[in-house]
Amino acid sequence: MALDVMAVVLFAALLHAGWNALVRSSQDTFGDTVFMVGGAALWAACLLPLLPLPAPASWPWLSASVLIHVAYFSLVALAYRGGELGLAYPLMRGSAPLLTALAATQLLGERLSPGAWTGILLIGGGILLLAGDARRRGHLHLGSAALALVNGAVIAGYTLIDGRGARLSGSAFGYTAWMLLLTGLALALIFCLQRGRTGLARLHGSGRRALIGGAGTLASYALVLWAMTRAPIALVAALRETSVVFALLIAALVLKEPVSRTRVIAIVVVGTGAVALRVLQ
């Protein structure tokens, strides 16, 4: 993985942790998730005239991506209803790299070096250690934990789908814009059917939050998909999960969640795994 690609993925990880923190701090996690994806859809609609249309070979992958992202965003909102950012986020992101790496090698034919596998295992192990710390402190919400783990499998699924789709599209940014536009429309329809006019009335006071979160959502995923056209999918997916470090800092400094010694150790493990991806390939 080239150094510039690695830097882009780390920046995308920071953006991703930021919009997840916005959802977690909300009193209505599903509503704000829909609004933020809607904000991303608006940004995407503005950019589409400037971007190439994805190649037809990528359209089946794009369709599958929209469906799986509707499930992903819904599970994000549900997991944060009862769980800490420092618990639900690590479980979602920590279980995904191992599943992605396994599927990428078995289904897409990618071959990873022992050093790359070391980095992936360190990142996954460190993130799961963070979740174990939350359980020890009695902050484990079983329902949220279960939803987060299910979403880990969903994340692994969309990572492989979009990694392949972006490569076939000829334009990772165009592919991402269409995916988020269609996903935003689908979630808006579901929201309207559930909440009706009462739910839409909340949009009046959530516009700025939606646009800021939407910009972070669009940029973070577009950058990751671009990186997947330049480096193996499993490596990009694993490095992206260092977003848990940024999420932990946000949880401690902004959301005032506690930071224990175990969490600090876990951060070191995750950081070591990120270095391993660079130097042990």
Side-chain angles (χ1 to χ4, degrees):
M1 186 183 298
L3 188 60
D4 59 338
V5 176
M6 192 172 189
V8 165
V9 176
L10 289 173
F11 179 63
L14 174 60
L15 293 175
H16 191 273
W19 78 255
N20 271 260
L22 283 175
V23 173
R24 177 61 187 87
S25 63
S26 170
Q27 297 297 315
D28 179 6
T29 56
F30 182 66
D32 272 6
T33 297
V34 173
F35 293 158
M36 274 188 260
V37 179
L42 286 175
W43 287 114
C46 293
L47 292 173
L48 280 177
L50 306 175
L51 298 172
L53 183 70
S58 69
W59 292 355
W61 299 91
L62 180 60
S63 300
S65 177
V66 171
L67 293 176
I68 200 168
H69 270 90
V70 168
Y72 164 71
F73 285 117
S74 299
L75 286 169
V76 165
L78 291 172
Y80 285 145
R81 283 183 179 176
E84 291 181 328
L85 179 69
L87 170 62
Y89 194 89
L91 282 177
M92 281 189 282
R93 309 311 307 189
S95 57
L98 304 182
L99 295 171
T100 301
L102 180 62
T105 56
Q106 297 300 315
L107 301 179
L108 301 183
E110 291 189 352
R111 292 294 178 263
L112 304 179
S113 69
W117 277 108
T118 299
I120 290 170
L121 291 173
L122 283 171
I123 290 173
I127 294 172
L128 293 176
L129 182 61
L130 287 170
D133 176 62
R135 182 180 184 278
R136 180 183 60 80
R137 292 184 295 106
H139 290 190
L140 180 63
H141 188 284
L142 291 177
S144 293
L147 289 168
L149 287 172
V150 170
N151 217 15
V154 173
I155 291 167
Y158 79 59
T159 299
L160 294 172
I161 289 171
D162 286 341
R164 182 63 173 166
R167 289 178 176 180
L168 292 172
S169 70
S171 171
F173 294 116
Y175 179 94
T176 306
W178 276 105
M179 183 275 291
L180 284 172
L181 175 61
L182 296 174
T183 301
L185 291 174
L187 283 171
L189 177 60
I190 293 171
F191 184 79
C192 289
L193 291 175
Q194 286 186 350
R195 306 276 183 95
R197 293 183 179 179
T198 303
L200 290 176
R202 282 196 60 246
L203 185 59
H204 179 70
S206 303
R208 180 177 298 180
R209 189 184 186 93
L211 289 175
I212 293 173
T217 301
L218 174 61
S220 66
Y221 204 51
L223 292 173
V224 164
L225 288 189
W226 172 84
M228 286 180 179
T229 67
R230 300 294 191 275
I233 291 172
L235 293 188
V236 173
L239 185 58
R240 186 195 186 193
E241 306 318 329
T242 55
S243 60
V244 72
V245 177
F246 299 117
L248 185 63
L249 293 173
I250 294 171
L253 299 176
V254 180
L255 303 181
K256 305 303 180 183
E257 294 180 4
V259 177
S260 66
R261 181 180 299 178
T262 302
R263 288 194 176 191
V264 174
I265 293 172
I267 289 175
V268 174
V269 173
V270 172
T272 302
V275 173
L277 285 176
R278 172 63 179 166
V279 302
L280 297 181
Q281 294 184 54

